[in-house]
C-alpha cells in the first residue's frame, strides 16, 4: 500500500510540476505549427496522434520549465540572502545540513517543510510557464498572417495572466524565506552545529 501511494504521489507530482506547466508553455507554439501538424497526420486518427504528440512535447518542455524554475529559485535565494544580509555560503550550508541529516525525518515540521517546498516548486514552474505562454502569444501575433485579435478578450486575459504572474512571484519570494526559516530551526532542533556568524543571523 505504501509503494502504491508513493507511486500515485510521484505521478501526481509529475503532472502538477512538469506536464501542466509544459502544456501551458507549449500551447501558443503548438498553435503556430498546428496546420503543418494536421497535414502531417491526415485521417480519422489525426486527433489521437496530435494529442499524443502534445502530451509528449508537454512532458519534454515541462523539464525545461523545471530547469528554468530551479534557476529562478537560485536568483530568489541570492536576493533573499542580500536582503537579510546572509552570506550565501552559510545559506547553502543550512540547506546541506538539512538534506544530509536523517534525524529530521521524524519531525512534524519536516512534513510541513516538504509541503511548502512542493508549493514553491509549483509557483516557480508556473511563473516560467506563464512567461513562455506570453512569449508564444507574441510570436504568434507577429508571424501568423491575417491573425484576427479580439482586443477586449486579449486585454482581459493579459491582465489576469500578469496579475497571476505577480502573485506567484510574491508567493515564491515568501516561500524562499519560509523554507530557509524552517531549515534553520529544524537543524537547530536536531542539534546540528553552526558557526558563530550563522547563529548571529536574524531570520
Amino acid at each position: 500500500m505504501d509503494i502504491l501511494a508513493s507511486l500515485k504521489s510521484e505521478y501526481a507530482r509529475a503532472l502538477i510540476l512538469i506536464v501542466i506547466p509544459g502544456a501551458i508553455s507549449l500551447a501558443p507554439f503548438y498553435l503556430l505549427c498546428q496546420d503543418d501538424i494536421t497535414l502531417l497526420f491526415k485521417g480519422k486518427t489525426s486527433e489521437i496522434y496530435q494529442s499524443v504528440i502534445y502530451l509528449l512535447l508537454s512532458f519534454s518542455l515541462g523539464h525545461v520549465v523545471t530547469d528554468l524554475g530551479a534557476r529562478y529559485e537560485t536568483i530568489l535565494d541570492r536576493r533573499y540572502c542580500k536582503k537579510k544580509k546572509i552570506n550565501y555560503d552559510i545559506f547553502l550550508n543550512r540547506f546541506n545540513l538539512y538534506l544530509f541529516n536523517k534525524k529530521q525525518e521524524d519531525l512534524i515540521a519536516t512534513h510541513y517543510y516538504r509541503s511548502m517546498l512542493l508549493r514553491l516548486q509549483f509557483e516557480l514552474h508556473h511563473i516560467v510557464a506563464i512567461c513562455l505562454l506570453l512569449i508564444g502569444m507574441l510570436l504568434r501575433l507577429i508571424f501568423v498572417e491575417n491573425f484576427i485579435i479580439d482586443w477586449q478578450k486579449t486585454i482581459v486575459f493579459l491582465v489576469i495572466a500578469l496579475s497571476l504572474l505577480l502573485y506567484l512571484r510574491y508567493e515564491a519570494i515568501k516561500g524562499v524565506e519560509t523554507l530557509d526559516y524552517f531549515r534553520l530551526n529544524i537543524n537547530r532542533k536536531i542539534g546540528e552545529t553552526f558557526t558563530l556568524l550563522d547563529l548571529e543571523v536574524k531570520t
Side-chain angles (χ1 to χ4, degrees), residues 38-50:
T38 302
L39 288 173
L40 183 63
F41 298 101
K42 292 181 179 179
K44 296 180 180 179
T45 57
S46 174
E47 292 183 359
I48 297 175
Y49 283 124
Q50 287 189 51

Side-chain angles (χ1 to χ4, degrees), residues 107 180-190 194 203:
L107 297 176
D180 183 57
Y181 171 83
F182 269 91
R183 282 193 295 266
L184 176 61
N185 284 280
I186 288 173
N187 287 334
R188 283 176 172 168
K189 182 67 177 178
I190 58 180
F194 289 83
T203 57

Side-chain angles (χ1 to χ4, degrees), residues 16 38 47 84 145 199 203:
I16 294 171
T38 302
E47 292 183 359
K84 295 291 185 178
E145 296 181 3
L199 289 171
T203 57

Side-chain angles (χ1 to χ4, degrees), residues 113-159:
Y113 173 90
R114 289 173 180 170
S115 68
M116 289 294 298
L117 179 60
L118 181 63
R119 177 177 165 182
L120 176 62
Q121 290 174 329
F122 174 87
E123 292 159 355
L124 293 170
H125 295 182
H126 283 79
I127 287 172
V128 175
I130 292 172
C131 289
L132 291 176
L133 173 66
L134 295 175
I135 292 171
M137 290 177 64
L138 179 62
L139 291 175
R140 192 174 179 218
L141 176 62
I142 294 171
F143 291 107
V144 176
E145 296 181 3
N146 302 320
F147 185 64
I148 301 174
I149 301 177
D150 185 333
W151 284 108
Q152 185 176 1
K153 291 181 180 179
T154 302
I155 291 172
V156 171
F157 174 81
L158 288 175
V159 169

Side-chain angles (χ1 to χ4, degrees), residues 164-182:
L164 182 59
L165 187 64
L166 291 173
Y167 171 75
L168 289 172
R169 183 179 181 276
Y170 172 80
E171 288 297 325
I173 291 171
K174 291 298 181 183
V176 166
E177 296 179 4
T178 302
L179 289 175
D180 183 57
Y181 171 83
F182 269 91

